[in-house]
């Protein structure tokens, strides 16, 4: 029997609830599709800080390094906002991405027909949207040096550095070109080259790569215009390639096209080693522990893990189909609730997904 080792990182807030649903479904599809998953639950984020003093304890990173794939739920809570930056939950996530070399973050945004009324945008605008945000994840202003806070001339000053090397741009651009080829062959690179030197380098490298990929049609947008185009006419996009900070912002914006950020999965990949699969949404501390969370982005992240990380295509299909069916049958968590639909909590949603998984 095929065996896979998966590290689960439940993290904070709604993380443990949605992890429980994902684990239950993964066990079910594994049994049905003839493989086994050995789960190893590890600490990250605020939960790790409380237990060990560090947001990414060494044993967690080691376990991830030794796994076939890592499935993370969410980290963060206002409870930890006053901690020194290196102890905050977010620092644990950044250290994990960096420690595993996960430079390529893929965030697919596809409209589920059953949810076309759930978006705050008009149905005509979002119908048929099927785009992929390719976000650089281990560089840019998130990791650039120097950074910090200093006091000079009697005033405090804070600063970060947005920096990319040519090779960092090339390796993420290569991923985006390859994915564009498998999709509709359109690549839109997003930068701020009208103002930022780092963005001009980004644009020059993408242009150079475009010349070597005549089968991909390449365009460029400034990030402000891209933000506008995403809500004006999102169907124009196939693959959106961008840096770490712009990708963070644009992927939340793109998530809302689907009606709820509770629907969006992501994959973070390096050049080798295990990938990290996680929902785009955060830990939703306001509803944590109340059985209200939408587990679908987590389940769809588990599906991406099965497809990309573990090469279990049929099991991945089963989970994705279950999500479509449950939505088509009118089941909704609170974030998506609409007239005529049946409202479910997180656990009951998990049970419906299980019931809609087979055949
Ligand atoms: C995301 C999140 C993270 C990020 C935070 C939690 C550090 O917003 O994955 O988009 O900014 O990358
Ligand atoms: Mg974000």
């Amino acid at each position: 029997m095929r065996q896979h080792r998966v590290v689960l990182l439940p993290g904070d807030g709604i993380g443990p609830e949605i992890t429980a649903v994902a684990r239950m479904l993964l066990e079910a599809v594994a049994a049905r599709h003839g493989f086994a998953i050995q789960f190893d639950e590890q600490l990250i984020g605020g939960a790790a800080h409380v237990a060990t003093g560090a947001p990414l304890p060494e044993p967690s990173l080691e376990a991830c390094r030794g796994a076939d794939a890592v499935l993370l739920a969410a980290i963060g809570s206002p409870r930890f906002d006053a901690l020194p930056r290196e102890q905050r939950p977010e620092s644990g996530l950044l250290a994990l991405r960096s420690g595993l070399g996960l430079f390529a973050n893929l965030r697919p945004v596809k409209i589920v027909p059953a949810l076309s009324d759930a978006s705050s945008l008009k149905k005509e605008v979002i119908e048929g949207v099927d785009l992929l945000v390719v976000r650089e994840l281990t560089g840019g202003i998130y990791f650039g040096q120097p950074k910090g806070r200093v006091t000079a001339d009697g005033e405090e000053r804070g600063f970060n550095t947005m920096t990319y090397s040519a090779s960092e741009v090339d390796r993420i651009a290569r991923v985006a070109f390859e994915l564009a080829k498998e999709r509709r062959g359109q690549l839109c690179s997003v930068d701020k080259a009208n103002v930022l030197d780092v963005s001009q380098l980004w644009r020059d490298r993408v242009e150079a790569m475009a010349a070597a990929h005549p089968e991909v049609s390449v365009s460029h947008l400034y990030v402000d215009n891209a933000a506008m185009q995403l809500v004006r006419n999102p169907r124009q996009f196939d693959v959106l390639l961008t840096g770490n900070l712009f990708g963070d912002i644009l992927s939340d914006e793109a998530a809302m096209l689907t009606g709820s950020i509770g629907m969006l999965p992501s994959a973070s990949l390096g050049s080798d080693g295990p990938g990290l699969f996680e929902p785009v949404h955060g830990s939703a501390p306001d509803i944590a522990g109340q059985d209200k969370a939408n587990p679908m982005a987590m389940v769809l992240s588990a599906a991406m893990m099965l497809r990309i990380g573990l090469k279990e295509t049929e099991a991945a299909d089963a989970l994705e189909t279950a999500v479509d069916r449950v939505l088509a049958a009118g089941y909704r968590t609170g974030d998506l609730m609409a007239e005529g639909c049946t409202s479910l909590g997180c656990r009951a949603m998990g049970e419906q997904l299980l019931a809609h998984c087979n055949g």
Side-chain angles (χ1 to χ4, degrees):
M1 188 153 65
R2 300 186 301 284
Q3 297 272 351
H4 305 292
R5 287 159 308 157
V6 168
V7 167
L8 289 176
L9 300 170
D12 304 322
I14 59 170
E17 304 161 51
I18 61 174
T19 302
V21 169
R23 180 176 182 152
M24 183 263 293
L25 289 169
L26 281 167
E27 275 164 357
V29 292
R32 199 161 301 142
H33 294 274
F35 61 95
I37 301 179
Q38 188 196 320
F39 291 104
D40 178 8
E41 279 202 24
Q42 294 284 339
L43 291 165
I44 192 170
H49 170 79
V50 169
T52 73
L56 182 66
E58 196 51 41
S60 295
L61 182 57
E62 273 316 302
C64 292
R65 285 205 172 106
D68 297 315
V70 181
L71 184 61
L72 166 81
I75 54 99
S77 159
R79 266 178 68 199
F80 305 109
D81 284 354
L83 288 172
R85 180 158 311 280
E86 64 281 3
Q87 289 173 32
R88 286 200 211 166
E90 289 76 7
S91 299
L93 177 57
L94 297 185
L96 180 63
R97 290 172 176 170
S98 173
L100 295 177
L102 306 171
F103 66 87
N105 182 219
L106 316 185
R107 297 186 161 182
V109 179
K110 199 171 173 175
I111 303 301
V112 184
L115 291 183
S116 57
D117 285 319
S119 175
S120 52
L121 296 183
K122 292 197 200 90
K123 201 173 171 158
E124 318 71 280
V125 174
I126 58 152
E127 253 167 1
V129 166
D130 179 2
L131 63 86
L132 174 68
V133 178
V134 177
R135 168 189 176 195
E136 199 289 328
L137 203 60
T138 52
I141 197 165
Y142 272 53
F143 292 92
Q145 296 286 347
K147 62 171 187 156
R149 284 165 68 156
V150 292
T151 301
D153 302 327
E155 191 187 18
E156 206 184 7
R157 175 179 300 280
F159 57 99
N160 290 83
T161 303
M162 191 186 278
T163 169
Y164 274 113
S165 65
S167 58
E168 281 177 306
V169 179
D170 288 355
R171 68 177 180 176
I172 188 69
R174 214 170 286 125
V175 170
F177 274 90
E178 289 311 316
L179 289 164
K181 276 192 233 168
E182 290 167 20
R183 294 173 50 100
R184 302 191 297 280
Q186 291 166 37
L187 177 72
C188 177
S189 174
V190 175
D191 61 40
K192 190 68 187 171
N194 51 344
V195 176
L196 302 177
D197 292 328
V198 56
S199 279
Q200 189 61 56
L201 172 73
W202 180 284
R203 190 174 281 223
D204 293 348
R205 302 304 300 185
V206 174
E207 268 300 287
M209 206 171 283
H213 291 83
E215 65 278 45
V216 178
S217 123
V218 178
S219 59
H220 303 269
L221 282 182
Y222 300 134
V223 62
D224 49 349
N225 189 12
M228 181 174 72
Q229 296 299 333
L230 261 178
V231 287
R232 194 186 74 89
N233 174 20
R235 257 191 311 269
Q236 70 185 286
F237 295 117
D238 179 14
V239 175
L240 272 167
L241 163 65
T242 190
N244 208 341
L245 179 63
F246 299 158
D248 178 47
I249 298 166
L250 293 180
S251 60
D252 266 32
E253 190 191 5
M256 280 318 291
L257 302 173
T258 66
S260 170
I261 198 170
M263 293 304 299
L264 242 68
S266 82
S268 304
L269 310 171
S271 37
D272 49 32
L276 169 68
F277 302 84
E278 55 171 314
V280 172
H281 64 68
S283 57
D286 53 323
I287 57 163
Q290 300 170 37
D291 194 35
K292 286 184 181 163
N294 179 355
M296 289 190 171
M298 182 67 169
V299 172
L300 292 171
S301 299
M304 280 188 102
M305 175 181 84
L306 289 169
R307 188 180 306 285
I308 300 173
L310 306 179
K311 311 281 181 251
E312 294 288 356
T313 313
E314 285 173 15
D317 289 342
L319 288 187
E320 285 168 2
T321 307
V323 168
D324 283 344
R325 287 186 182 151
V326 163
L327 290 170
Y331 295 108
R332 301 282 187 277
T333 40
D335 53 325
L336 293 168
M337 194 49 199
E339 223 183 285
C341 292
T342 311
S343 170
L344 295 181
C346 182
R347 213 170 318 120
M349 184 55 95
E351 279 152 23
Q352 282 303 329
L353 288 166
L354 180 64
H356 288 78
C357 247
N358 46 356

